[in-house]
Amino acid sequence: MRVSEAIGLDRQDVDLSLGIIHIRRTKFGKSRYVPVHPSTVEALKRYAEARDRIIPSLPTPAFFISERGGRITEWTARYTFAKLSQHLGLRISAKGHGRGPRLHDMRHRYAAHTLVRWIAPGSMSNENSPSWLPTWGTSTSTIPTGTWKPCQNSFNWLRIG
């Protein structure tokens, strides 16, 4: 999920009883449903309960809100992630937010590691890959036919057939 999609969620888009998030405002104008891991559902439930307790009459339909009760901005999400990264030791402390992992990097790292886990050790062919894989995580590209092996780092692929 993109940062802009997360902060664009309204309360009606987050179904915690089913563990499904409806993303309406995507980068390319499409909508999609995203299943959420049970541990994430529990974290979102705790957040929603605390949010509703602190601000019982929300002035916005936003799911994620600022301390003033409005929708969180993309800048605020990125800055908060940077400051938390400093606190956790992922970034060197600096006057501003410093250098280090960006919030968007987490999305790419998760996607790459998920693909690597799905692939049998050593190779992946179109015959044994999920039918939706050619468009997963992309908007316009597809994976060409053939057999693919991970290169030395798991973020690059080498076509061998």
Side-chain angles (χ1 to χ4, degrees):
M1 180 182 300
R2 291 177 179 89
V3 175
S4 60
E5 294 169 348
I7 62 175
L9 290 172
D10 289 338
R11 291 187 304 279
Q12 69 181 16
D13 300 328
V14 182
D15 188 333
L16 297 175
S17 61
L18 293 176
I20 301 286
I21 293 177
H22 186 195
I23 301 173
R24 298 176 193 271
R25 295 179 281 276
T26 68
K27 182 176 180 179
F28 297 101
K30 297 179 181 178
S31 292
R32 69 182 188 277
Y33 290 94
V34 177
V36 181
H37 190 272
S39 64
T40 305
V41 170
E42 289 306 311
L44 290 173
K45 281 181 182 177
R46 287 191 307 273
Y47 167 80
E49 289 167 1
R51 176 201 63 208
D52 295 345
R53 187 176 59 252
I54 294 167
I55 305 176
S57 180
L58 293 172
T60 176
F63 185 81
F64 296 110
I65 60 168
S66 70
E67 63 276 0
R68 294 183 178 176
R71 188 178 299 274
I72 291 178
T73 65
E74 194 161 341
W75 184 91
T76 299
R78 292 178 194 284
Y79 183 81
T80 302
F81 178 80
K83 294 310 262 182
L84 287 171
S85 295
Q86 284 179 345
H87 181 73
L88 295 171
L90 298 174
R91 283 178 182 244
I92 297 172
S93 291
K95 197 173 194 178
H97 53 74
R99 293 181 183 233
R102 300 165 302 163
L103 186 52
H104 195 70
D105 295 336
M106 299 298 129
R107 177 177 190 259
H108 288 279
R109 184 172 176 85
Y110 173 79
H113 282 271
T114 299
L115 281 172
V116 169
R117 280 195 317 269
W118 284 338
I119 298 167
S123 70
M124 175 185 82
S125 69
N126 285 5
E127 292 77 36
N128 66 8
S129 64
S131 61
W132 47 263
L133 185 58
T135 58
W136 181 75
T138 66
S139 56
T140 57
S141 61
T142 60
I143 296 174
T145 59
T147 302
W148 296 79
K149 286 192 173 186
C151 292
Q152 191 171 19
N153 75 36
S154 61
F155 297 104
N156 295 310
W157 292 88
L158 172 67
R159 185 171 186 194
I160 60 170

